[in-house]
Amino acid sequence: MSVGLCGAALAAALAAPAAHAAPGERHGTAWTPTDTGTDARFRGLAAVSTRTAWLAGSKGTVLRTTDGGRHWRDVSPPGAAGAGLEFRDIEAFDARRAVALAIGEGEASQVWRTDDGGATWTESFRNTDARAFYDCLTFFDSRHGLAMSDPVDGRFRILSTADGGRSWNVLPSAGMPEAQPGEAGFAASGQCLVSSGPKDVWLATGGAAAARVLHSGDRGLTWAATDSPIPAGDPARGVFGLAFHDRGHGIAVGGDYRASQPSPRASAVTSDGGRGWQPSRTPPAAYRSGVAWLPHSRSAALTVGPTGTDLTTDGGRTWRTIDTGSYDTVDCTPDGSCWAAGEKGRAARAVRPDTP
């Protein structure tokens, strides 16, 4: 199957109702659950291929599968559970190399790296500034990456690596616009900082008067901020997740994470790299925290949240619910699969019909 048909075939499989479903019933149609053997909440997910994926979550938990989710191996850093580490993001280059971010105030924010599939880990960064709180990380390639912290001295703080996460340096703040009062990132899905290509990176915010998306075209040295149409004005509201399939076309999702509150205009799209955002004509029906483009597709994407999964086939302009299970984050792979993870140890996979 050509790469051009890969995303379309997966989208069709996701959208098709399950054979056992009653008319109009959508529950459980999109994902094939896998047994992780834990009740940790996984907000960090790195999908490498149809067979290999990494999960990072609460209680210092990191898991890895190399057989499509049939078995998950606990590869947590030693002592991470006892230290109370909360892993919220993980980026993996293959089945052996991964970088995980633990979040929290002060020294609770840490970065860990493994080169041997999680058999051993090295702590490569520990935050010593009590004012900083790191939320997300992203990599442009296997060497260059960034991590972001909530504002310090009125500006978001950016951490940079040029050696695959082995060492990190705080970038100068001169090129970062001033933060709004109360503005912050959401460590909800590992997607508040995302990249596409060798130099472009976007940062999602909320909690302030406007929910913004900041863009840098030079690996985090200088940034430009743009208001999004996703509602903010409250610490629980804003943009929670971003996905770009190239340097121009992107999707933002979010809303209000409180279950008792509605989330109108919970998604938006851009075709100019984030300089302008338009609200989706038919947004997801509720708050969504994670979003991912389907493999090799310029039009199909998934978004997930506690109340379900939605599919778009028109670049994020309209969405429809295809599953009602709870997931916090989603990621797709070049070889034709998507993975999702969330609360109570939940992890699942979706693949093209012709995938073994």
Short mmCIF file of all heavy atoms in Angstrom, two decimals, residues 277-308:
data_model
loop_
_atom_site.label_atom_id
_atom_site.label_comp_id
_atom_site.label_asym_id
_atom_site.label_seq_id
_atom_site.Cartn_x
_atom_site.Cartn_y
_atom_site.Cartn_z
N TRP A 277 -5.41 31.58 13.24
CA TRP A 277 -6.15 30.38 13.62
C TRP A 277 -7.64 30.60 13.37
O TRP A 277 -8.17 31.68 13.66
CB TRP A 277 -5.93 30.04 15.10
CG TRP A 277 -4.54 29.58 15.40
CD1 TRP A 277 -3.46 30.35 15.72
CD2 TRP A 277 -4.08 28.22 15.38
NE1 TRP A 277 -2.35 29.56 15.92
CE2 TRP A 277 -2.69 28.25 15.72
CE3 TRP A 277 -4.68 26.99 15.13
CZ2 TRP A 277 -1.93 27.09 15.80
CZ3 TRP A 277 -3.92 25.84 15.20
CH2 TRP A 277 -2.56 25.90 15.54
N GLN A 278 -8.31 29.57 12.84
CA GLN A 278 -9.75 29.63 12.61
C GLN A 278 -10.43 28.54 13.42
O GLN A 278 -9.95 27.40 13.46
CB GLN A 278 -10.06 29.43 11.11
CG GLN A 278 -9.52 30.53 10.21
CD GLN A 278 -8.01 30.41 9.99
OE1 GLN A 278 -7.50 29.31 9.74
NE2 GLN A 278 -7.30 31.53 10.09
N PRO A 279 -11.55 28.86 14.04
CA PRO A 279 -12.26 27.82 14.81
C PRO A 279 -12.83 26.75 13.89
O PRO A 279 -13.20 27.02 12.75
CB PRO A 279 -13.38 28.60 15.50
CG PRO A 279 -13.59 29.81 14.65
CD PRO A 279 -12.24 30.15 14.09
N SER A 280 -12.85 25.52 14.38
CA SER A 280 -13.46 24.43 13.61
C SER A 280 -14.96 24.69 13.45
O SER A 280 -15.62 25.15 14.38
CB SER A 280 -13.23 23.09 14.31
OG SER A 280 -11.85 22.81 14.43
N ARG A 281 -15.49 24.38 12.26
CA ARG A 281 -16.92 24.58 12.04
C ARG A 281 -17.73 23.65 12.94
O ARG A 281 -18.76 24.03 13.48
CB ARG A 281 -17.28 24.33 10.58
CG ARG A 281 -16.73 25.38 9.62
CD ARG A 281 -17.44 25.29 8.28
NE ARG A 281 -17.35 23.96 7.69
CZ ARG A 281 -16.36 23.58 6.87
NH1 ARG A 281 -15.37 24.42 6.59
NH2 ARG A 281 -16.36 22.37 6.35
N THR A 282 -17.27 22.41 13.05
CA THR A 282 -17.91 21.44 13.95
C THR A 282 -16.82 20.90 14.86
O THR A 282 -16.10 19.95 14.50
CB THR A 282 -18.56 20.28 13.17
OG1 THR A 282 -19.46 20.81 12.19
CG2 THR A 282 -19.31 19.36 14.12
N PRO A 283 -16.64 21.49 16.03
CA PRO A 283 -15.56 21.06 16.92
C PRO A 283 -15.95 19.79 17.67
O PRO A 283 -17.12 19.36 17.62
CB PRO A 283 -15.42 22.24 17.88
CG PRO A 283 -16.80 22.80 17.95
CD PRO A 283 -17.39 22.63 16.58
N PRO A 284 -14.99 19.16 18.36
CA PRO A 284 -15.35 18.06 19.24
C PRO A 284 -16.40 18.53 20.25
O PRO A 284 -16.46 19.72 20.60
CB PRO A 284 -14.03 17.71 19.93
CG PRO A 284 -12.98 18.22 19.00
CD PRO A 284 -13.54 19.44 18.36
N ALA A 285 -17.18 17.60 20.73
CA ALA A 285 -18.30 17.96 21.61
C ALA A 285 -17.86 18.28 23.03
O ALA A 285 -18.67 18.80 23.82
CB ALA A 285 -19.31 16.81 21.63
N ALA A 286 -16.60 17.99 23.37
CA ALA A 286 -16.14 18.18 24.74
C ALA A 286 -14.64 18.47 24.73
O ALA A 286 -13.99 18.46 23.68
CB ALA A 286 -16.45 16.95 25.59
N TYR A 287 -14.12 18.75 25.92
CA TYR A 287 -12.69 19.00 26.10
C TYR A 287 -11.84 17.89 25.51
O TYR A 287 -12.13 16.71 25.67
CB TYR A 287 -12.41 19.14 27.60
CG TYR A 287 -11.01 18.84 28.04
CD1 TYR A 287 -9.97 19.73 27.78
CD2 TYR A 287 -10.72 17.66 28.73
CE1 TYR A 287 -8.68 19.45 28.21
CE2 TYR A 287 -9.43 17.38 29.15
CZ TYR A 287 -8.42 18.28 28.89
OH TYR A 287 -7.14 18.00 29.30
N ARG A 288 -10.79 18.25 24.80
CA ARG A 288 -9.84 17.29 24.25
C ARG A 288 -8.42 17.73 24.60
O ARG A 288 -8.08 18.92 24.53
CB ARG A 288 -9.99 17.17 22.73
CG ARG A 288 -11.35 16.57 22.31
CD ARG A 288 -11.48 15.12 22.72
NE ARG A 288 -12.72 14.49 22.29
CZ ARG A 288 -13.74 14.24 23.11
NH1 ARG A 288 -13.66 14.59 24.40
NH2 ARG A 288 -14.82 13.64 22.66
N SER A 289 -7.57 16.77 24.97
CA SER A 289 -6.22 17.09 25.44
C SER A 289 -5.13 16.68 24.47
O SER A 289 -4.02 17.22 24.53
CB SER A 289 -5.96 16.40 26.79
OG SER A 289 -6.21 15.00 26.70
N GLY A 290 -5.38 15.71 23.58
CA GLY A 290 -4.36 15.21 22.66
C GLY A 290 -4.86 15.18 21.24
O GLY A 290 -6.05 15.00 20.98
N VAL A 291 -3.92 15.35 20.28
CA VAL A 291 -4.30 15.36 18.87
C VAL A 291 -3.13 14.85 18.05
O VAL A 291 -1.97 15.07 18.39
CB VAL A 291 -4.72 16.78 18.41
CG1 VAL A 291 -3.61 17.79 18.62
CG2 VAL A 291 -5.23 16.79 16.98
N ALA A 292 -3.42 14.13 16.95
CA ALA A 292 -2.37 13.60 16.09
C ALA A 292 -2.90 13.43 14.68
O ALA A 292 -4.04 12.98 14.48
CB ALA A 292 -1.86 12.26 16.61
N TRP A 293 -2.07 13.77 13.69
CA TRP A 293 -2.39 13.50 12.29
C TRP A 293 -2.21 12.02 12.00
O TRP A 293 -1.27 11.39 12.50
CB TRP A 293 -1.47 14.30 11.37
CG TRP A 293 -1.69 15.78 11.44
CD1 TRP A 293 -1.03 16.67 12.23
CD2 TRP A 293 -2.65 16.54 10.69
NE1 TRP A 293 -1.51 17.94 12.02
CE2 TRP A 293 -2.50 17.89 11.08
CE3 TRP A 293 -3.60 16.20 9.72
CZ2 TRP A 293 -3.28 18.91 10.54
CZ3 TRP A 293 -4.39 17.23 9.18
CH2 TRP A 293 -4.22 18.55 9.59
N LEU A 294 -3.10 11.46 11.20
CA LEU A 294 -2.93 10.08 10.77
C LEU A 294 -1.72 9.96 9.85
O LEU A 294 -1.32 10.94 9.21
CB LEU A 294 -4.19 9.58 10.07
CG LEU A 294 -5.20 8.87 10.99
CD1 LEU A 294 -5.71 9.80 12.07
CD2 LEU A 294 -6.36 8.29 10.19
N PRO A 295 -1.13 8.78 9.75
CA PRO A 295 0.10 8.61 8.97
C PRO A 295 -0.04 9.07 7.53
O PRO A 295 -0.98 8.68 6.83
CB PRO A 295 0.37 7.10 9.05
CG PRO A 295 -0.36 6.64 10.26
CD PRO A 295 -1.56 7.52 10.38
N HIS A 296 0.88 9.93 7.09
CA HIS A 296 0.98 10.36 5.69
C HIS A 296 -0.31 11.01 5.18
O HIS A 296 -0.61 10.95 3.99
CB HIS A 296 1.36 9.19 4.78
CG HIS A 296 2.54 8.42 5.26
ND1 HIS A 296 3.82 8.93 5.24
CD2 HIS A 296 2.64 7.19 5.82
CE1 HIS A 296 4.66 8.04 5.75
NE2 HIS A 296 3.97 6.97 6.11
N SER A 297 -1.06 11.62 6.09
CA SER A 297 -2.31 12.25 5.70
C SER A 297 -2.23 13.75 5.91
O SER A 297 -1.70 14.22 6.92
CB SER A 297 -3.48 11.69 6.50
OG SER A 297 -4.68 12.36 6.17
N ARG A 298 -2.79 14.51 4.98
CA ARG A 298 -2.89 15.95 5.11
C ARG A 298 -4.29 16.39 5.51
O ARG A 298 -4.56 17.58 5.62
CB ARG A 298 -2.49 16.63 3.80
CG ARG A 298 -1.06 16.35 3.37
CD ARG A 298 -0.75 16.98 2.02
NE ARG A 298 -0.86 18.43 2.06
CZ ARG A 298 0.14 19.24 2.41
NH1 ARG A 298 1.31 18.72 2.78
NH2 ARG A 298 -0.02 20.54 2.41
N SER A 299 -5.18 15.41 5.73
CA SER A 299 -6.56 15.77 6.01
C SER A 299 -7.17 15.03 7.21
O SER A 299 -8.15 15.51 7.77
CB SER A 299 -7.43 15.53 4.79
OG SER A 299 -7.39 14.16 4.40
N ALA A 300 -6.61 13.88 7.59
CA ALA A 300 -7.21 13.06 8.64
C ALA A 300 -6.40 13.15 9.93
O ALA A 300 -5.17 13.11 9.91
CB ALA A 300 -7.31 11.61 8.20
N ALA A 301 -7.10 13.29 11.04
CA ALA A 301 -6.46 13.39 12.35
C ALA A 301 -7.40 12.87 13.42
O ALA A 301 -8.62 12.77 13.21
CB ALA A 301 -6.05 14.83 12.66
N LEU A 302 -6.83 12.54 14.58
CA LEU A 302 -7.59 12.09 15.74
C LEU A 302 -7.36 13.06 16.89
O LEU A 302 -6.27 13.62 17.05
CB LEU A 302 -7.13 10.71 16.19
CG LEU A 302 -7.39 9.52 15.27
CD1 LEU A 302 -6.66 8.29 15.78
CD2 LEU A 302 -8.89 9.25 15.17
N THR A 303 -8.39 13.24 17.71
CA THR A 303 -8.22 13.96 18.96
C THR A 303 -8.89 13.16 20.07
O THR A 303 -9.90 12.49 19.84
CB THR A 303 -8.79 15.39 18.89
OG1 THR A 303 -8.51 16.08 20.12
CG2 THR A 303 -10.29 15.40 18.65
N VAL A 304 -8.28 13.19 21.27
CA VAL A 304 -8.77 12.36 22.38
C VAL A 304 -8.92 13.20 23.64
O VAL A 304 -8.30 14.25 23.80
CB VAL A 304 -7.81 11.17 22.67
CG1 VAL A 304 -7.69 10.27 21.46
CG2 VAL A 304 -6.44 11.68 23.13
N GLY A 305 -9.76 12.68 24.53
CA GLY A 305 -9.97 13.29 25.84
C GLY A 305 -10.71 12.32 26.73
O GLY A 305 -10.99 11.18 26.35
N PRO A 306 -11.05 12.74 27.95
CA PRO A 306 -11.70 11.83 28.90
C PRO A 306 -13.03 11.28 28.45
O PRO A 306 -13.46 10.22 28.94
CB PRO A 306 -11.86 12.71 30.15
CG PRO A 306 -10.83 13.77 30.01
CD PRO A 306 -10.74 14.04 28.55
N THR A 307 -13.72 11.96 27.52
CA THR A 307 -15.04 11.50 27.10
C THR A 307 -15.06 10.85 25.73
O THR A 307 -16.13 10.46 25.26
CB THR A 307 -16.06 12.66 27.11
OG1 THR A 307 -15.66 13.64 26.15
CG2 THR A 307 -16.15 13.28 28.49
N GLY A 308 -13.90 10.74 25.06
CA GLY A 308 -13.95 10.06 23.79
C GLY A 308 -12.87 10.45 22.80
O GLY A 308 -11.99 11.26 23.08
#
